[in-house]
Amino acid sequence: DITARKMAEETLGRDQERLTATLRSIGEGVILVGTRLEVDFMNREAERLTGRKQSKACGRAFTDVVKLVGHEDHQPRNCPLTTAFRSGKTVGPLTDVMLVSLDGTERRVSCLCVPMIDARATLAGAVVVLRDISSHTIQEKEMHKVQKMESIALLADGIAHDFNNI
């Protein structure tokens, strides 16, 4: 009698479908990476950010799919996954990096690498989360400009007050 086994397989299948649907709907780029640093899964946002389709990315090296360069110097960055794999600890979020997509578009991203440890306490892969923070950077620059203007206005007000009271 394999009824229990069939029911377990059906439950596992439903759980896997739910997990896939959840990952696909998340607003951040999610990439699952195997122990040999190959891409196993990418959600739609990761496809958009990298410019690569999951069907073309799966099985390829993570560093071929995700190209990270420094925000300031635009020099290639070391893969944060190797650090996460060696240490067994979360790396990031790294915010000083740019993601170069397939078409050459550069986006400021936050990159988080989380190693996955299985029930036997061995490394099973990693989850990489990429968040586009380009708009946040623009907002920060605008806020900084506003703060500068407020400081200049306060300084000008103080100078005018001192000048009027001479």
Side-chain angles (χ1 to χ4, degrees), residues 5-21:
R5 180 177 171 189
K6 287 291 186 185
M7 289 177 60
E9 287 175 359
E10 287 175 13
T11 303
L12 184 61
R14 280 194 307 271
D15 289 348
Q16 189 171 7
E17 286 175 17
R18 284 188 202 130
L19 178 60
T20 301

Side-chain angles (χ1 to χ4, degrees), residues 23-38:
L23 289 174
R24 290 215 175 275
S25 66
I26 291 176
E28 281 84 23
V30 178
I31 302 173
L32 301 181
V33 181
T35 55
R36 293 183 297 157
L37 298 177
E38 76 285 353

Side-chain angles (χ1 to χ4, degrees), residues 46-71:
E47 289 178 339
R48 185 186 73 79
L49 290 171
T50 62
R52 292 166 173 83
K53 293 288 183 193
Q54 177 179 331
S55 59
K56 302 281 185 187
C58 284
R60 294 187 63 190
F62 176 78
T63 53
D64 289 344
V65 176
V66 177
K67 300 204 183 295
L68 297 174
V69 297
H71 170 64

